[in-house]
Amino acid sequence: MRTSPSLRRKLVSVAAVSAALFSAAGTTVAVAQESAPQAAAVPTAQTEAAPGIAAERLIVGYKSGATEAKSNKAAEADAAAKGKEAGEDVDFQRRLGTGAALVDLGADLTRTDVADVVAEYKADPQVAYVVPDRLNTPQADPNDTEYAKQWDLFESTAGMNVPGAWNTTTGSGVTVAVIDTGYVAHTDLAANIVAGYDFIADTAVSVDGNGRDSNPADPGDYYAANECGSGIPASGSSWHGTHVAGTIAAVTNNSKGIAGIAYGAKISPVRVLGKCGGYDSDIIDAITWASGGTVSGVPANTNVAKVINMSLGGDGACTSATQTAINAAVGRGTTIAVAAGNDNDNVANHSPGNCNNVISVAATSRTGAKASYSNYGSLVDISAPGGQTSTGTANGILSTLNSGATTASTESYAYYQGTSMATPHIAGLAALLKSANSSLTPAQIETAIKNNARALPGACSGGCGAGLADAAKTVAAVSGGTSTGTTFSNTTAASIPDNGSAIESSIAVTGRTGNAPSALQVAVDITHTYRGDLVVSLVAPDGTVYTLKAASSSDSADNVNTTYTVNASSETANGTWKLRVQDTAAQDTGTLNSWKLTF
């Protein structure tokens, strides 16, 4: 029988007092001070299972010649003996695969208690080591050397809350087609690059000396002054597609560079932009091919993309030709994220951000406001970090690049800004969602991203979509919890004021992990003489309101005694849930008798 912690500590204290009295009588026996120095000599790391939490179990390795190294009975006897010496109840639990013994200390010990036991084991010459049985948790933050500069992934103000999604998914099994300038070799991307294609047919645009072929390498898109139109100044090579690809799927936890949002995904570089830009015809074929469609003269795609990123655009309406390609790609199950554009104008005037069946992405700054250059409007679906370098270079989006001013040189990293940088955040999130739940359609992915966005922390004039995308919340929503049949209830009756204010009844949910299920059962027992007067709602721990029953003048029956099903998969299960009931009309009264949640 395990002695209570308070009693065990009391026994130790009495012994110490007795020894102190003995010492005061003139005998130089240092028993009174014995326990304190021993406890202090044990490192904190050997008394904690996690920071600040006392260990409940110890792993004890005996030297090979010790009887306890082979005999469970001997290890059990040794645990009991060590516990007796320390004033604790120590139980042998089992033998580990390495031969070490696992011993249990109970759940109520302090670090001082643990130190007493550890000291007993450390004093035994037959013990090789004694360590806490530490509690491990998923650690998603990567070790990439430039990760601390990627505010867009993790900062609480305007980051996209990406690390919280990585415990669930990293995008494995999903290919993202980056329809852009192609790819310039970079060791922080190479492992995640799969075959793509060069769709630029016009050699004046392709700059690589040939037309369409299977090599999507980016030779550079530099041009001289006036070469792309009168008055247009010269520009160096952008290596734009490589920057976009790094945001989506840079290799992560490789102790270098940056982290990709969907670093378990693969990138298929599809080249459509060269000197001075790229033609709709090439882009249309690229959309078709990337999504698994057939393009005459081009080999079948062996890396069909379930997500397409198009950080490109031009002026004017979305043409029927482009819309047809998009519709077909979405029909094949491919989600398409596109840039809203950088004109500080209504996206309605810019394609393909104004096309249907795409996720049109606006850009936000590090403060969470609409970036000054970003397009806006009712056709914007969502916002994501795009950076604002005018307030400081480090306020841009850091990603993979090349240092060559014209042709490729050494690999590098650089800060860019633009809706081109915001869009891969959404493409990466779409890859995470598709990986977490392969059955999701493009429409469901778009809805999930919108429904789980949070309000912009900064200002937006003109329309920035559903808000700032939240990766962790969205991934949790599509992953959902599982129903276990666990029930929590509140049986305290509460009167419902006639034609008055709403009442709320609370249930504290504890002991669950992850999110609530997609089929949360809400059982309600209300006595009322005209239930059509009632509005009944479920309020989640974060304040989200789910309407269970609306008022109806044609519903004259008595009472509400039914069970509602709520898709609460976007909500954390643990916390205080509330049932809100309001009587909205006069003359009839009632009582909330009880309600319950079944997970």
Short mmCIF file of all heavy atoms in Angstrom, two decimals, residues 197-203 206 208-215 271:
data_model
loop_
_atom_site.label_atom_id
_atom_site.label_comp_id
_atom_site.label_asym_id
_atom_site.label_seq_id
_atom_site.Cartn_x
_atom_site.Cartn_y
_atom_site.Cartn_z
N TYR A 197 8.16 20.72 -66.47
CA TYR A 197 8.20 20.90 -67.92
C TYR A 197 8.36 22.38 -68.25
O TYR A 197 7.93 23.26 -67.47
CB TYR A 197 6.92 20.37 -68.56
CG TYR A 197 7.10 19.93 -69.99
CD1 TYR A 197 7.66 18.70 -70.31
CD2 TYR A 197 6.72 20.77 -71.04
CE1 TYR A 197 7.84 18.31 -71.63
CE2 TYR A 197 6.89 20.40 -72.37
CZ TYR A 197 7.45 19.16 -72.65
OH TYR A 197 7.65 18.77 -73.96
N ASP A 198 8.99 22.64 -69.40
CA ASP A 198 9.14 24.00 -69.91
C ASP A 198 8.10 24.20 -71.02
O ASP A 198 8.20 23.59 -72.09
CB ASP A 198 10.55 24.19 -70.46
CG ASP A 198 10.80 25.59 -71.00
OD1 ASP A 198 9.84 26.40 -71.02
OD2 ASP A 198 11.93 25.87 -71.41
N PHE A 199 7.10 25.03 -70.76
CA PHE A 199 6.01 25.25 -71.71
C PHE A 199 6.18 26.50 -72.58
O PHE A 199 5.28 26.85 -73.33
CB PHE A 199 4.67 25.31 -70.99
CG PHE A 199 4.07 23.96 -70.73
CD1 PHE A 199 4.32 23.28 -69.57
CD2 PHE A 199 3.28 23.34 -71.70
CE1 PHE A 199 3.79 22.02 -69.33
CE2 PHE A 199 2.75 22.08 -71.49
CZ PHE A 199 3.00 21.41 -70.30
N ILE A 200 7.33 27.17 -72.48
CA ILE A 200 7.50 28.40 -73.27
C ILE A 200 7.84 28.02 -74.71
O ILE A 200 8.92 27.48 -74.99
CB ILE A 200 8.60 29.29 -72.67
CG1 ILE A 200 8.26 29.63 -71.21
CG2 ILE A 200 8.75 30.56 -73.49
CD1 ILE A 200 9.31 30.48 -70.52
N ALA A 201 6.92 28.31 -75.62
CA ALA A 201 7.09 27.93 -77.02
C ALA A 201 7.91 28.95 -77.81
O ALA A 201 8.63 28.60 -78.75
CB ALA A 201 5.72 27.74 -77.67
N ASP A 202 7.82 30.22 -77.43
CA ASP A 202 8.49 31.30 -78.15
C ASP A 202 9.93 31.42 -77.65
O ASP A 202 10.17 31.75 -76.49
CB ASP A 202 7.72 32.60 -77.91
CG ASP A 202 8.19 33.75 -78.79
OD1 ASP A 202 9.40 33.80 -79.11
OD2 ASP A 202 7.36 34.61 -79.13
N THR A 203 10.89 31.22 -78.55
CA THR A 203 12.30 31.26 -78.12
C THR A 203 12.75 32.65 -77.69
O THR A 203 13.71 32.78 -76.93
CB THR A 203 13.22 30.75 -79.25
OG1 THR A 203 12.98 31.51 -80.44
CG2 THR A 203 12.95 29.28 -79.53
N SER A 206 11.73 32.36 -74.09
CA SER A 206 12.33 31.27 -73.31
C SER A 206 13.79 31.55 -72.95
O SER A 206 14.26 31.12 -71.89
CB SER A 206 12.25 29.96 -74.08
OG SER A 206 13.09 29.98 -75.22
N ASP A 208 16.33 30.20 -73.51
CA ASP A 208 17.19 29.02 -73.33
C ASP A 208 17.59 28.39 -74.66
O ASP A 208 18.16 27.29 -74.70
CB ASP A 208 16.50 27.99 -72.43
CG ASP A 208 15.18 27.49 -72.99
OD1 ASP A 208 14.77 27.95 -74.08
OD2 ASP A 208 14.53 26.66 -72.33
N GLY A 209 17.24 29.05 -75.77
CA GLY A 209 17.67 28.58 -77.07
C GLY A 209 16.76 27.58 -77.72
O GLY A 209 17.02 27.11 -78.83
N ASN A 210 15.69 27.21 -77.05
CA ASN A 210 14.76 26.24 -77.66
C ASN A 210 13.34 26.51 -77.18
O ASN A 210 13.11 27.37 -76.34
CB ASN A 210 15.19 24.80 -77.34
CG ASN A 210 15.38 24.58 -75.85
OD1 ASN A 210 14.54 24.97 -75.04
ND2 ASN A 210 16.50 23.96 -75.48
N GLY A 211 12.42 25.75 -77.71
CA GLY A 211 11.02 25.89 -77.33
C GLY A 211 10.68 24.96 -76.19
O GLY A 211 11.44 24.79 -75.24
N ARG A 212 9.53 24.34 -76.28
CA ARG A 212 9.06 23.47 -75.21
C ARG A 212 9.93 22.21 -75.09
O ARG A 212 10.30 21.60 -76.09
CB ARG A 212 7.61 23.04 -75.46
CG ARG A 212 6.63 24.19 -75.32
CD ARG A 212 5.20 23.74 -75.50
NE ARG A 212 4.27 24.82 -75.15
CZ ARG A 212 2.95 24.70 -75.17
NH1 ARG A 212 2.39 23.55 -75.56
NH2 ARG A 212 2.19 25.71 -74.82
N ASP A 213 10.22 21.85 -73.85
CA ASP A 213 10.97 20.62 -73.60
C ASP A 213 10.79 20.21 -72.14
O ASP A 213 10.10 20.89 -71.37
CB ASP A 213 12.45 20.78 -73.95
CG ASP A 213 13.14 21.90 -73.18
OD1 ASP A 213 12.80 22.11 -72.00
OD2 ASP A 213 14.01 22.57 -73.77
N SER A 214 11.41 19.13 -71.78
CA SER A 214 11.22 18.58 -70.43
C SER A 214 12.14 19.19 -69.38
O SER A 214 12.16 18.73 -68.23
CB SER A 214 11.45 17.07 -70.46
OG SER A 214 12.77 16.78 -70.90
N ASN A 215 12.88 20.23 -69.76
CA ASN A 215 13.82 20.85 -68.82
C ASN A 215 13.28 22.21 -68.35
O ASN A 215 13.35 23.19 -69.09
CB ASN A 215 15.18 21.03 -69.47
CG ASN A 215 16.19 21.65 -68.52
OD1 ASN A 215 15.94 21.78 -67.33
ND2 ASN A 215 17.34 22.04 -69.06
N ARG A 271 7.55 25.74 -66.26
CA ARG A 271 8.05 27.03 -66.72
C ARG A 271 7.13 27.65 -67.77
O ARG A 271 6.87 27.05 -68.82
CB ARG A 271 9.47 26.86 -67.28
CG ARG A 271 10.15 28.17 -67.62
CD ARG A 271 11.63 28.01 -67.89
NE ARG A 271 12.21 29.30 -68.16
CZ ARG A 271 12.67 29.70 -69.35
NH1 ARG A 271 12.66 28.86 -70.37
NH2 ARG A 271 13.16 30.91 -69.51
#
